[in-house]
Amino acid sequence: MIPPDEALRLVCQHAVALAPRDVALEEACGLQLAQPVAADRHYPPFARAMMDGYAVRLGDAGRTVPVVGQVAAGDRFAGAMEPGGCVEIMTGAPCPPGTEAVVPKEHVRRSGSQVSLPGQLRAGQHIAEAGSECPAGRVVLQPGQTITPMAVAVMASFGIVSVRVVPRPSVAIITTGGELVPAASEPGEGQIRDSNGPMLAALARDVALERPSCLHVEDQLEAILDALERSADHNLVLLTGGVSVGTYDLVPAALERYGAEVVFHKVRQKPGKPLLFARKQNQLVFGLPGNPLSCHFCFHRYVAPAAQRMSGKPAPAQALPGTLTAPVEPKAGRTYFVTARAEPGEEGQWLVHPLPTTSSADIFASWPANCYAQVPPGKEPIPAGHVLPFTWIGSAPWPY
Ligand code: AMP
Ligand code: MG
């Protein structure tokens, strides 16, 4: 048995960024960029009117001048701006050569084809000069940055339709246990519905893994081995159940037959003591405990950071200090990770309300949790008001 900090360190050490590959721009949001992105030309590409109004010469300030033409967005004015005249112009249109200022429509008086201009004009007003936002060749996005919707807009502006990224890890979920039936079925005597399968699929989506493949197997060595072999192409394999010490806990034996090297098995923590972590070449395999709360916690603390790191992102997330609003009972010899709801307190601190459960199987009291608080091993109760580290579940922060 190793302590939970050592377990997390080993997981992070083995989880390395996947090889970059090209994806369509519309698939790229949320992924880590693996190439620099530079402007293909000046932005704006031409001196652009920023208002609907009139392109003018500074010397005509305070005068009434004729409108000699019009230019709409997407058009071009044939000819140049001469003193003593103005050109009606729309937002986004290229300023005619010689334009010194754009006067908003609201600031002139127009009668027929004559326009009276204001007495005060500032050189370049309401004009975005070519290259003023971003000159050609400037590197705007760097490798290692997360692609946001605005970054997608930048790349679309530059004409990029395919981009090099660290891909999403692909994941296989394998539920084990003869007692399990699918959610749509009526359980028979001694049976329960599979809740870990749907939960892990939802967690996978929460941390931006690729859509998982899901298999269910009975507690038989050959069946587990077969499911592992059918999952060989995935970056991550998540088994649930069958990792403890029962006669039918056959996941460790199946992993040995599969040829995976066990990095650790059993962690000094509650929930999730039976956790197993193994690797086969670049594939990472987690044997998650079958108890639903243990399964959830082990995903939160170990699988999510592994997935983040495989996606090229920094992980694990920093724990924050939170003030307990009710006492908690620590566990002797094991770090206790208690489900809790964190919310902002009046002095800018986080208040952590523990959500006590009856067991590692009990998700019914825990499900509203938005964080896990970390309680060090011990015997004495920890009183309300004590500060403990906590980590957000998934993409919480408050409100979740
Ligand atoms: P195990 O780790 O296989 O010994 O399972 C521990 C407990 O978790 C048992 O009560 C199982 O019935 C339960 N369990 C295992 N797998 C699941 C699952 N996929 N969904 C819900 N409960 C499960
Ligand atoms: Mg089982």
Side-chain angles (χ1 to χ4, degrees), residues 18-37:
L18 301 178
R21 86 166 163 251
D22 292 336
V23 299
L25 183 63
E26 57 266 32
E27 304 297 320
C29 193
L31 300 181
Q32 217 68 356
L33 190 61
Q35 62 163 81
V37 171

Side-chain angles (χ1 to χ4, degrees), residues 176-180 219 240-243 248-249 290:
T176 73
E179 75 279 28
L180 301 174
D219 295 303
T240 95
V243 277
Y248 294 103
D249 288 335

Side-chain angles (χ1 to χ4, degrees), residues 63-300:
R63 298 206 183 122
T64 298
V65 293
V67 181
V68 301
Q70 193 194 60
V71 54
D75 275 357
R76 206 174 64 81
F77 180 71
M81 285 286 307
E82 304 289 348
C86 67
V87 171
E88 188 181 2
I89 195 163
M90 317 303 157
T91 304
C95 293
T99 301
E100 291 175 332
V102 167
V103 183
K105 212 167 181 166
E106 300 85 329
H107 296 178
V108 305
R109 234 171 341 95
R110 179 163 178 169
S111 51
S113 64
Q114 297 290 312
V115 162
S116 305
L117 300 175
Q120 298 278 316
L121 296 175
R122 187 174 44 79
Q125 70 177 40
H126 306 301
I127 299 171
E129 290 298 342
S132 61
E133 293 166 358
C134 179
R138 176 183 284 172
V139 176
V140 177
L141 306 178
Q142 298 283 357
Q145 292 178 324
T146 301
I147 299 172
T148 60
M150 230 193 276
V152 169
V154 168
M155 290 189 272
S157 300
F158 295 172
I160 292 172
V161 292
S162 163
V163 61
R164 185 142 282 235
V165 296
V166 181
R168 292 175 208 281
S170 66
V171 59
I173 294 169
I174 305 172
T175 54
T176 73
E179 75 279 28
L180 301 174
V181 297
S185 302
E186 200 52 50
E189 183 79 22
Q191 294 185 319
I192 58 167
R193 296 194 184 93
D194 166 30
S195 61
N196 290 348
M199 177 174 71
L200 288 171
L203 285 165
R205 199 162 38 231
D206 226 26
V207 299
L209 289 165
E210 247 185 30
R211 195 183 169 78
S213 78
C214 298
L215 294 170
H216 174 70
V217 291
E218 307 270 309
D219 295 303
Q220 290 156 358
L221 189 62
E222 294 299 332
I224 301 172
L225 182 58
D226 180 58
L228 283 168
E229 269 154 9
R230 286 166 61 193
S231 307
D233 289 342
H234 291 281
N235 304 122
L236 268 172
V237 178
L238 309 179
L239 297 123
T240 95
V243 277
S244 202
V245 293
T247 309
Y248 294 103
D249 288 335
L250 299 170
V251 165
L255 282 172
E256 198 187 319
R257 284 270 300 277
Y258 178 56
E261 164 213 343
V262 173
V263 180
F264 63 79
H265 186 190
K266 297 202 172 79
V267 181
R268 234 177 279 137
Q269 64 187 9
K270 186 181 175 69
K273 178 172 110 180
L275 175 66
L276 184 154
F277 174 58
R279 68 176 296 169
K280 186 177 178 186
Q281 283 125 27
N282 290 332
Q283 184 182 60
L284 301 187
V285 185
F286 288 88
L288 305 171
N291 272 318
L293 188 56
S294 305
C295 181
H296 183 275
F297 168 68
C298 288
F299 187 101
H300 161 78

